[in-house]
């Protein structure tokens, strides 16, 4: 048995659904960054399939990885502006199996992919001399669901972040396998914890998302350059950061634009709206789309927003969401208007404008815009401060140590 001091020093491997240089902020990546302050962290990129490599072969993100993808060379990269402990890992390409039906062919291809991914972890352990390590599967259940078949980590942790049953594919089946095969399971929302636990008759620990409060407080403590996309906007700005996807209440978005012609709705993040709605958001002249930005760039945008919004539809999917952006908005001192889509967001009711319907949401926008005193900004920052990633890491180590002791004993 490893003592607690040595346990806290173990190297950590993390797999997730994102890559270190992806176009949206990721809870998995944020978690990895904070863990790397004290531990060696190997952040394994979401594997490219061979089809991805061919299709995206001319993209800079693929070109710089080509040596690793094709030959397994230069597969470890230190992340710029991060701790030396933080290493990105590029695994060999996977077989494209998303559209395959359940059956022998899918099982064969899935096993191949799991072996590819586990081999890169074994290679690192050989090269670095690791005999003990912690493995975290941060919401990528399609890989290494049966962890004990391929690897023998000191502790394995499955980390759920969304209601996977709302997404087509093999995810739900794979997630249930993960929960049963991993030493410990945790989820970012209370609804997720209940649902996953009920499906698998296993304890699922509540591990809510945190926030990089020290980064985002720059939005009200410093004067940041105005982003070029905002330079010509003379109206008050209603701001949203994040993906425009299936989480969004598109009818509400239209009402925000139509009922606030004297304001501009600025959306910073990737667009997937055409996949999930027939509503043409481009038809509204006071909606401005800004491309995805690195998390380090977001405080500059937030500084010039007059209020921020989370216009999520209330569904089973969003009921399982604890959004990263709530602590980012509050740490930036911003007034937040949000739909009441989950009990996790409702827990912020004393620090935000929480709307139970469209009419309330629309009424709250001008109130939020006028609620930006320095005192209020500091109050919001303090509300986010308790949810800093540093505090979440303390919780994670407590949960992990208890889980480790239980499997040893």
């Amino acid at each position: 048995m490893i003592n607690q001091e040595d346990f806290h020093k173990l190297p950590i491997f993390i797999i997730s659904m994102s890559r270190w240089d992806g176009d949206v902020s990721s809870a998995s990546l944020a978690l990895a960054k904070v863990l790397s302050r004290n531990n060696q962290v190997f952040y394994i990129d979401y594997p490219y399939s061979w089809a991805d490599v061919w299709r995206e072969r001319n993209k800079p993100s693929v070109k710089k990885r080509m040596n690793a993808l094709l030959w397994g060379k230069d597969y470890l990269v230190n992340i710029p502006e991060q701790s030396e402990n933080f290493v990105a890992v590029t695994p060999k390409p996977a077989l494209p199996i998303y559209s395959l039906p359940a059956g022998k062919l899918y099982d064969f291809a899935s096993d191949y992919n799991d072996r590819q991914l586990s081999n890169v972890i074994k290679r690192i352990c050989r090269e670095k001399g690791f005999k003990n390590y912690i493995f975290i599967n941060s919401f990528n259940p399609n890989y290494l669901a049966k962890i004990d078949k391929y690897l023998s980590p000191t502790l394995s942790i499955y980390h759920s972040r969304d209601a996977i049953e709302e997404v087509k594919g093999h995810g739900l089946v794979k997630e249930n396998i993960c929960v049963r095969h991993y030493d410990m399971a945790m989820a970012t929302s209370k609804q997720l914890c209940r649902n996953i636990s009920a499906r698998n008759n296993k304890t699922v620990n509540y591990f809510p998302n945190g926030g990089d409060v020290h980064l985002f407080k720059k939005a009200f403590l410093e004067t940041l350059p105005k982003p070029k996309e905002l330079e010509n906007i003379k109206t008050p700005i209603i701001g949203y950061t994040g993906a425009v996807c299936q989480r969004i209440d598109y009818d509400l978005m239209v009402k925000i634009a139509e009922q606030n012609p004297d304001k501009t709705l600025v959306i910073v993040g990737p667009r997937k709206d055409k996949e999930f709605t027939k509503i043409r958001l481009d038809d509204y002249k006071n909606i401005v789309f800004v491309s995805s930005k690195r998390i380090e760039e977001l405080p500059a945008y937030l500084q010039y927003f007059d209020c921020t919004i989370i216009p999520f539809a209330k569904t089973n999917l969003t009921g399982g969401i604890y959004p990263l952006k709530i602590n980012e908005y509050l740490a930036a001192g911003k007034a937040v208007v949000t739909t009441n889509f989950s009990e996790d967001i409702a827990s912020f009711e004393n620090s935000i404008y929480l709307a139970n319907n469209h009419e309330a949401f629309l009424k709250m926008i001008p109130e939020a815009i006028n609620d930006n005193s320095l005192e209020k900004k500091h109050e919001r920052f303090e509300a986010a401060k308790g949810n800093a990633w540093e505090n979440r890491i303390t919780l994670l180590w407590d949960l992990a140590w208890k889980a480790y002791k239980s499997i040893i004993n």
Side-chain angles (χ1 to χ4, degrees):
M1 177 176 176
I2 301 172
N3 63 45
Q4 189 169 6
E5 182 179 355
D6 289 339
F7 181 81
H8 280 222
K9 296 177 181 177
L10 289 177
I12 299 168
F13 291 84
I14 297 179
I15 64 170
S16 78
M17 290 286 287
S18 58
R19 301 185 180 108
W20 70 267
D21 54 354
D23 60 1
V24 291
S25 58
S26 157
S28 306
L29 187 60
L31 178 64
K33 287 178 180 177
V34 181
L35 283 168
S36 71
R37 293 175 188 171
N38 297 303
N39 297 73
Q40 285 185 284
V41 173
F42 295 88
Y43 186 84
I44 302 172
D45 274 346
Y46 181 67
Y48 286 89
S49 72
W50 283 108
D52 294 332
V53 174
W54 175 253
R55 185 172 54 250
E56 302 176 26
R57 63 191 182 280
N58 293 320
K59 288 186 175 181
S61 56
V62 172
K63 282 185 173 181
K64 69 184 179 184
R65 290 177 167 92
M66 201 61 82
N67 242 3
L69 292 168
L70 296 182
W71 316 112
K73 298 179 179 179
D74 306 320
Y75 76 111
L76 300 180
V77 177
N78 284 99
I79 308 298
E81 302 176 9
Q82 296 298 325
S83 165
E84 291 183 359
N85 289 331
F86 192 177
V87 178
V89 182
T90 300
K92 286 286 192 72
L95 296 176
I97 64 173
Y98 177 79
S99 59
L100 289 178
K104 290 183 178 180
L105 180 58
Y106 174 82
D107 291 342
F108 172 83
S110 179
D111 178 68
Y112 172 88
N113 289 345
D114 285 343
R115 291 187 186 281
Q116 286 283 86
L117 202 56
S118 62
N119 284 341
V120 77
I121 294 170
K122 291 175 181 177
R123 178 182 175 184
I124 293 169
C125 288
R126 285 195 307 271
E127 292 176 355
K128 303 293 182 181
F130 298 150
K131 296 189 180 302
N132 294 287
Y133 61 91
I134 294 172
F135 181 83
I136 302 175
N137 184 328
S138 188
F139 200 57
N140 189 1
N142 287 309
Y143 286 89
L144 296 174
K146 294 182 179 178
I147 181 70
D148 43 359
K149 179 180 177 181
Y150 303 95
L151 296 167
S152 300
T154 307
L155 184 74
S156 57
I157 301 171
Y158 177 69
H159 177 203
S160 179
R161 293 190 281 109
D162 264 325
I164 203 164
E165 65 269 23
E166 298 300 315
V167 181
K168 293 180 181 179
H170 304 275
L172 178 58
V173 172
K174 289 286 194 175
E175 180 171 82
N176 290 337
I177 295 172
C178 281
V179 173
R180 294 194 293 270
H181 282 260
Y182 280 63
D183 299 318
M184 172 184 139
M186 60 188 191
T188 54
S189 83
K190 294 175 182 177
Q191 177 176 296
L192 283 178
C193 288
R194 288 193 300 269
N195 291 351
I196 297 170
S197 179
R199 285 199 298 264
N200 296 282
N201 192 30
K202 182 174 178 178
T203 298
V204 178
N205 298 285
Y206 183 46
F207 183 72
N209 284 329
D212 189 341
V213 299
H214 299 292
L215 170 66
F216 282 88
K217 71 180 180 182
K218 293 179 180 180
F220 77 96
L221 291 180
E222 301 177 18
T223 300
L224 303 173
K226 193 171 189 177
K228 64 180 184 339
E229 298 96 337
L230 308 183
E231 288 177 352
N232 295 323
I233 298 176
K234 307 303 180 185
T235 67
I237 295 175
I238 303 166
Y240 171 80
T241 61
V244 184
C245 59
Q246 70 268 44
R247 301 175 180 186
I248 298 294
D249 184 336
Y250 290 99
D251 291 325
L252 176 58
M253 292 282 278
V254 168
K255 290 179 182 179
I256 294 170
E258 290 181 341
Q259 297 193 28
N260 292 279
D262 58 335
K263 304 175 186 69
T264 303
L265 174 55
V266 174
I267 299 171
V268 182
R271 290 186 64 177
K272 300 180 181 178
D273 48 298
K274 294 183 174 79
E275 297 176 31
F276 300 105
T277 182
K278 294 182 179 178
I279 292 173
R280 290 175 51 84
L281 296 178
D282 293 302
D283 291 345
Y284 297 88
K285 303 302 182 185
N286 60 336
I287 297 181
V288 173
F289 288 96
V290 176
S291 62
S292 300
K293 300 296 176 182
R294 294 182 299 112
I295 190 171
E296 292 81 7
E297 299 175 271
L298 294 181
Y301 289 86
L302 288 171
Q303 182 168 96
Y304 295 93
F305 290 171
D306 294 280
C307 78
T308 56
I309 60 172
I310 308 179
F312 285 179
K314 188 170 184 177
T315 64
N316 186 57
L317 174 64
T318 58
I321 291 173
Y322 182 118
L324 273 179
K325 61 180 61 62
I326 184 60
N327 288 310
E328 295 172 351
Y329 286 171
L330 291 174
K334 295 287 108 175
V336 183
V337 183
T338 177
T339 53
N340 190 4
F341 57 87
S342 73
E343 61 189 290
D344 301 276
I345 199 68
S347 69
F348 289 88
E349 62 182 339
N350 294 328
S351 303
I352 61 177
Y353 289 86
L354 189 66
N356 289 317
N357 52 55
H358 288 186
E359 291 69 27
F361 194 104
L362 296 166
K363 182 180 178 182
M364 289 172 176
I365 287 175
E367 295 175 17
I369 289 174
N370 292 317
D371 190 17
N372 279 309
S373 67
L374 186 59
E375 180 184 4
K376 275 290 191 178
K377 290 179 179 180
H378 277 286
E379 287 178 6
R380 292 169 188 144
F381 171 76
E382 289 299 321
K385 187 177 178 182
N387 301 321
W389 276 116
E390 290 80 2
N391 295 334
R392 298 295 192 245
I393 295 303
T394 300
L395 171 61
L396 175 61
W397 281 117
D398 287 344
L399 294 172
W401 177 244
K402 289 176 183 176
Y404 173 67
K405 287 195 299 181
S406 70
I407 62 174
I408 292 301
N409 298 329

